[in-house]
């Protein structure tokens, strides 16, 4: 696999990790920073997969790519899609995974 094939997944995972950490920290749960990062990265890649499969999510993601022209617009759309998915899964993980004590 070359970098051009892996780069969209890396950007989506990065966006998901950021979104998952922010919304997971709001609820003070999610298994700490490592847990929220993993949950967010999985949510970011999952949201990007859903954007390819579900037409409503795909149309929203395609409008984000028009914010910047060129290849950077695609990366921005991947980052925002990943952050949205990671944020949703981070929020759910933060509510379900609570610290002991």
């Amino acid at each position: 696999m070359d970098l051009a094939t892996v780069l969209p997944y890396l950007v989506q995972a990065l966006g998901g990790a950021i979104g998952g950490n922010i919304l997971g920290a709001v609820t003070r749960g999610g298994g700490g920073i490592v847990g929220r990062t993993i949950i967010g990265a999985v949510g970011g890649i999952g949201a990007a997969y859903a954007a390819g499969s579900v037409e409503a999510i795909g149309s929203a993601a395609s409008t984000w790519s028009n914010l910047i022209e060129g290849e950077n617009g695609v990366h921005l759309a991947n980052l925002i899609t990943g952050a949205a998915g990671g944020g949703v899964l981070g929020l759910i993980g933060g509510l379900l995974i609570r610290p002991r004590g």
Side-chain angles (χ1 to χ4, degrees):
M1 253 187 217
D2 58 342
L3 185 62
T5 306
V6 178
L7 188 60
Y9 297 112
L10 292 175
V11 173
Q12 294 156 4
L14 176 67
I18 293 169
N21 271 316
I22 291 172
L23 287 179
V26 168
T27 59
R28 294 186 181 180
I33 193 158
V34 174
R36 288 190 301 262
T37 302
I38 293 170
I39 289 171
V42 169
I45 294 173
Y49 179 75
S53 301
V54 180
E55 184 178 340
I57 298 173
S59 65
S62 68
T63 59
W64 293 326
S65 65
N66 294 329
L67 295 174
I68 299 175
E69 292 186 20
E71 186 178 334
N72 290 333
V74 175
H75 294 312
L76 180 65
N78 285 333
L79 187 71
I80 293 172
T81 303
V88 168
L89 205 60
L91 183 64
I92 293 170
L95 292 172
L96 294 178
I97 303 170
R98 305 300 300 169
R100 294 181 187 179

